[in-house]
Amino acid sequence: MTDFLLELRSEEIPARMQAGARENLAKLFAAELAKAGLSAGEIVTYAGPRRLALIARGLPSATEAVSEEVKGPRASAPPQALEGFLRKTGLTREQLTERDGVLFAITEKPGRATAQVLAEAIPAIVRAFPWPKSMRWGGESASTESMRWVRPLHAIVALFGGEVVPFEIAGITSGNTTRGHRFHAPAEITLTGVDTYVEQLRAAKVLVDQDERAAIIRERASALAAEAGLELVEDEGLVAENAGLTEWPVPLLGRFDEAFLDVPPEVIQLTARVNQKYFVCRSADGKLANAFVCTANIEATDGGAKIVEGNGKVLAARLSDARFFYETDRKTKLDDLRPKLEKIVFHEKLGTVADKVERVAKLARWLVEEGIVNESPPASGGGELADLAERAAYLAKADLVTGMVGEFPELQGLMGGYYAAAQGEDPRVAEAVRDHYKPVGQGDDVPTAPVTVAVALADKLDTLVAFFAVGEQPTGSKDPFAIRRAALAILRLIQVNDLRMQMARVMAASAKPVIDRILDEPYRSACNAEELIRHGFVSKTPYVADPTSITGPGAYIRTNVLLGLPALAGFFADRLKVQQREAGVRHDLIDAVFALGGEDDLVRLLARVRALQAFVITDDGTNLLAGYKRAANILKKEGVEGDQSWTAPTYTLEPAEADLIAALDAAEPKAAAAVKAEDFEAAMAALASLRAPIDRFFDDVTVNDADPAKRTARLALLARVRAAVHTVADFSRIEG
């Protein structure tokens, strides 16, 4: 077995593309080998700013000879069929093999040298390489047929064992020479073999392994901070980026003027990270320190003093700009910035950001006034809380037109919180302005302060409903307005804060201002009533007792909006199922609760699902499920659908039959009362009491009795069992 080395050396590869390039190189290489019937024992890839490399270990010296067999027509087939098969295979009739009256073309393919396979595979890989962005260069770039690469490709190393695999790509001939560090070891290096590749480059001040570079940056940066009595603010993304920018990383600690610490720490960290790729440090009290760690790509003779000095000057200039934006922004109150939001289009069919702010403010107030969001313990009337929520919503988007957010969009919300606090707003308002975008992602914190919850929930509800209203639902993998993320954020806000609400009612309240706007001129032409119906935002069937009372498209939609959100309701239910499956809840149990319908209080619904999941894994749950399914199968076979009226039989009951009736008489009211009290564990326990009577009933009683009266009564009894179980969930959806 022999090892193979491939190195593709180019000008600087963007750090963000290196991990993907390594993955693609390994995948393409393995695929090309597989075409020739080869596979490597191990494939290792490396990426750095100037090279992409692969080492494949354990390759055979040659492919094995193979015999290919192609089935042809029957020997008795018409001449035309035989002639076509011969043309396809390039063989004569005498070269075909006949078995059981069928002709076969058998071709023996001799083995090939692995070096020959590699010589053909590598050019194919390079030409097909899927860089996110690539370029052409040199005189050949005038032709669209010229080779593309992420940056100009300079050299290719291809060694199989100690021998060069010869091939040429766009005038670049493969060889066994490379170059080390651009400054420390710029001379050409002749590689002696695959096993010495990493160490030869290490001697030339190039660390090929990106994980080794990352470890050096991570450990040395932390050590430098500790030596200065500080703590490094960890940032794995920045570690990876610096590892992708350097071949010989040398972390260095520097200082900046303490006066810049008056700027919010998030601004300093973002300025250092985004613009300069620097780490920041915090002092023992947890506050940001006036220190940074940069990563040089050389070992300077002065220990890095000049590098630190130069980087400090650049950072000072950046921080001066940030301080200018911060101080300038604070001179204008957020209220005075709000009119500028009228010039920012939120969506062509939904108006400006100012329009969205108006909708969110009213909805946030409504959520508080309806008691959906409240303080604990609930305040009387919630008047102050409603005022604060409305105020926070009106200010929440104002920072979008500030200089700081214009420079760093990532700081939206955060800067608004600082500016709101600086202008003397209630701390609860400032907190809501700061955090109203949360939760942004799966690992993000979920707000729990009532004012913040009201604004965050209103903001996301408006986004969800508004885009559905204008037909901008997610499709497949496309979700340009992050509607799925908004739905998941709503779910997390509801669950973490235990918010009790009827989703249909809340969706209707969210939809009303959107519907009113769409139906008002001049927006009718942009999205009319028919469009709303076509997109599934409202139902085609009027939800009123007297459809003739509906006049005009406006009345039609306003009448139907409460119950006419089928597309949105289905989408929201799907998001909940996905979220719960990811949390470890069985999909069939979610379906079992959803199937009952009429439940849109998510807190109650999920409590029911959790109780069901705990119950079905017990012996009582397993046996009750088996009994239920046996009853349901009999009812289905006999065509007994839906709930049946129950009348006590007039004939003499068998003991097992009487026991089941008595058990149902006891269990049904207990289960119903427990469900009403939202004690779903107690409801399950009540149903568990049916387990033994159901088993005895099936053992001792003949359901399909010859007596029609007995048969009808016993089917009705099984229907009663089914209905009792359905007070908690539709057990027919449960697997097992």
Side-chain angles (χ1 to χ4, degrees), residues 472-492:
E472 294 288 357
Q473 300 99 320
T475 56
S477 62
K478 295 181 180 179
D479 188 9
F481 303 108
I483 298 173
R484 292 189 182 98
R485 187 172 68 189
L488 289 173
I490 291 169
L491 290 173
R492 294 185 66 199

Side-chain angles (χ1 to χ4, degrees), residues 661-676 682-683 686-687 720 724 727:
I661 293 172
L664 282 166
D665 289 341
E668 283 173 330
K670 288 181 181 178
V675 168
K676 186 175 181 180
L687 292 178
R720 186 179 171 189
T727 59

